[in-house]
Every structure is written in C-alpha cells, then in structure tokens.
Amino acid sequence: MSDERRKFPVDLSDVLGFAGAGSVTYGVWLMHQPTAFIVAGSLMLSISVIGAVAKARK
C-alpha cells in the first residue's frame, strides 16, 4: 500500500471535535432552541479563527 493511500483528508481529532460541537449544540437545543443557534455560530466562528491562525503559522 502506497503512502498516498494512507493519508486521510481528516484526522480523528477533527471528527471528534465536530461530533463534540454537534453534541453541545444539540444539548443546548433541547434546553432552549434559540440559544442553540448562538452556540452553533460561536463554535463555527471559533473553529474558523483557530484554523486561520494555524494556517498563518505554517
């Protein structure tokens, strides 16, 4: 098996991070639905900022 086939586009930590963000958002949705949109937006904004900073450091 070549090295090219072993590379995955996403890492396990990415999958777990998105699953965790989805779980938090769903939990907030169960408590108060409008707040879930704020939480989801905040998580997406945080992830994009962290990604931009990490990309800039490369």
Side-chain angles (χ1 to χ4, degrees):
M1 187 183 292
S2 68
D3 288 334
E4 294 297 321
R5 293 183 64 195
R6 290 185 184 175
K7 293 181 181 178
F8 295 108
V10 293
D11 192 15
L12 181 60
S13 63
D14 295 335
V15 173
L16 291 175
F18 285 117
S23 296
V24 168
T25 303
Y26 181 68
V28 172
W29 178 270
L30 292 175
M31 291 187 294
H32 191 246
Q33 293 174 356
T35 308
F37 288 107
I38 296 169
V39 170
S42 299
L43 288 172
M44 285 188 262
L45 181 62
S46 300
I47 290 169
S48 68
V49 168
I50 291 169
V53 169
K55 189 176 182 180
R57 287 187 179 180
K58 284 186 177 182

